[in-house]
Amino acid sequence: MSRGLPLLHRRRIVVAGVIGGITCASVAVGAAMAGQDGSSSEAKASVKAASSISCPAVEGSLPEIPAEAKAEVDRNLALLDTQLAEANKRLSTSQGEGGPNFVQNAILGPLADKRKSTLDRIAISIGRRAEKPTGLDALAECTLSGGDAGAGGAASPTAAASAA
């Protein structure tokens, strides 16, 4: 009989944890709905979660793409879209993680590195058939937009300047 008692306590702890998680989730949703004026810290956290990552458009910045390089460039442009979608997903699922520079260090910085590599591949692909485009590195930096974009050390001044 004493062996069943610890199991019973473990079940209660698990249920309490699940109930606590539901309560926390409903508090965050309630704060987003009730504190729309942004006066409470919970409402500000909800607004921060509504932020998204914006990156400079690449397609309009490219020279004419040779037909032989079009398929490879299109694949890399699609990869840029995938990278942005993954970064936005990471941003939405990591609310409240890390310190003040979390978004810059864990999301925007790695995204810029990935984008720079992909932009280099695009330039190389075009450069095999025509003049290699320059200056694409300026399109690698992304910033937060919407919500409380300035919170959390979101973007460096150079990232904001290159996106403009």
Side-chain angles (χ1 to χ4, degrees):
M1 192 165 270
S2 65
R3 294 180 74 192
L5 190 57
L7 179 60
L8 179 63
H9 288 295
R10 277 187 247 155
R11 285 185 183 157
R12 285 185 184 164
I13 291 170
V14 171
V15 171
V18 171
I19 291 172
I22 293 170
T23 303
C24 289
S26 64
V27 168
V29 171
M33 294 172 65
Q36 292 180 0
D37 64 350
S39 59
S40 72
S41 62
E42 291 145 347
K44 289 179 184 175
S46 299
V47 171
K48 184 177 174 185
S51 297
S52 64
I53 299 171
S54 299
C55 298
V58 174
E59 289 184 66
S61 301
L62 295 176
E64 188 170 332
I65 302 168
E68 300 87 358
K70 182 101 172 97
E72 186 176 356
V73 170
D74 287 345
R75 278 192 305 274
N76 282 305
L77 290 171
L79 180 58
L80 289 171
D81 292 338
T82 301
Q83 292 166 351
L84 178 59
E86 289 171 353
N88 273 312
K89 181 179 178 184
R90 171 89 164 124
L91 179 66
S92 69
T93 59
S94 64
Q95 179 184 1
E97 286 185 28
N101 294 325
F102 176 79
V103 172
Q104 179 62 42
N105 295 337
I107 300 173
L108 292 178
L111 176 61
D113 292 341
K114 290 176 189 176
R115 285 179 59 86
K116 184 178 182 315
S117 295
T118 305
L119 290 166
D120 285 345
R121 286 194 299 274
I122 289 172
I124 290 168
S125 177
I126 294 172
R128 287 185 191 125
R129 308 285 185 205
E131 185 177 337
K132 183 178 177 180
T134 59
L136 294 180
D137 287 350
L139 304 174
E141 297 288 331
C142 299
T143 59
L144 280 183
S145 64
D148 189 11
S156 66
T158 57
S162 67

